[in-house]
Amino acid sequence: MPDTSEDVMSVLTERIEDRFQMPIADLGRAVEAAPQANPEAATLVHWHGLLTETQQALDTAEDALVEALGTQPADVLDDPVMELAHQVNSAVASRDGRAMVVNYLLDPNAPGKRGPGAWRGASPAARRAPALPTSPPTLPSARNTTARGAAR
C-alpha cells in the first residue's frame, strides 16, 4: 500500500470506482437511493466514508502538530505538543485500520471469502468453534515434583 495519505485514499477510491464503473460520488448517491440493491456497494461506500472522515481527522491533527512544532524550541517538546503527536499517531492507526478493511472488502480472494473451508459455507456451529483448543492446561501432580535445589 502507498505511503502517503493522499495515495492511500486515491488508490482505494480508484479501485472502488473501477469495481463499480462510476465515480465514488455517483456510487454514494446510488447506494443512498437504493441501499439494498447492492450490499457490496453499500458496505464499500460506508467504509470509504469512514476512511474519508478519518483521513480528514488525520489531516487536521497533522496540521495542528506542525503548527505547534513551529512555536517550540527544537530540543524541547512540552506536554501539549506531545499530546498532539499522540493524536496524530492515533489518527494514523485508525486511518490505516479502515484502509485495511476497504482493501479487504475489495479483494475477492481475501482469506475467508473463497475456496474450500471458507467461513461462508461452514455450519453455524463451526463458525462459533474456537480457533485454538481452550481446555485448561494440566498441571503436574504436586507429590511427584520436587522444588529446585531441594535434597532428595
Side-chain angles (χ1 to χ4, degrees):
M1 203 169 270
D3 291 338
T4 66
S5 299
E6 295 80 24
D7 288 344
V8 169
M9 289 298 301
S10 63
V11 167
L12 291 174
T13 300
E14 185 178 316
R15 288 182 60 202
I16 293 169
E17 291 173 345
D18 287 348
R19 166 80 57 89
F20 295 99
Q21 295 299 300
M22 67 175 66
I24 193 73
D26 293 347
L27 183 60
R29 285 189 290 276
V31 165
E32 190 175 319
Q36 303 303 322
N38 188 329
E40 179 188 19
T43 300
L44 276 163
V45 165
H46 171 76
W47 279 97
H48 185 271
L50 293 175
L51 176 60
T52 301
E53 289 174 10
T54 306
Q55 182 60 53
Q56 291 168 348
L58 172 57
D59 292 343
T60 301
E62 286 175 333
D63 291 346
L65 177 60
V66 168
E67 184 178 328
L69 287 171
T71 64
Q72 293 288 305
D75 58 342
V76 178
L77 296 178
D78 61 11
D79 289 342
V81 173
M82 289 304 295
E83 179 58 34
L84 289 171
H86 290 302
Q87 289 175 8
V88 169
N89 284 337
S90 294
V92 167
S94 295
R95 190 273 321 269
D96 289 351
R98 289 176 177 183
M100 287 182 351
V101 170
V102 171
N103 197 41
Y104 173 81
L105 293 170
L106 286 166
D107 184 358
N109 297 315
K113 286 188 166 184
R114 301 273 186 251
W119 286 106
R120 289 183 186 183
S123 70
R127 286 192 300 261
R128 285 190 302 269
L132 300 172
T134 57
S135 59
T138 57
L139 300 174
S141 170
R143 59 191 156 121
N144 293 335
T145 60
T146 57
R148 280 192 183 175
R152 290 190 174 192

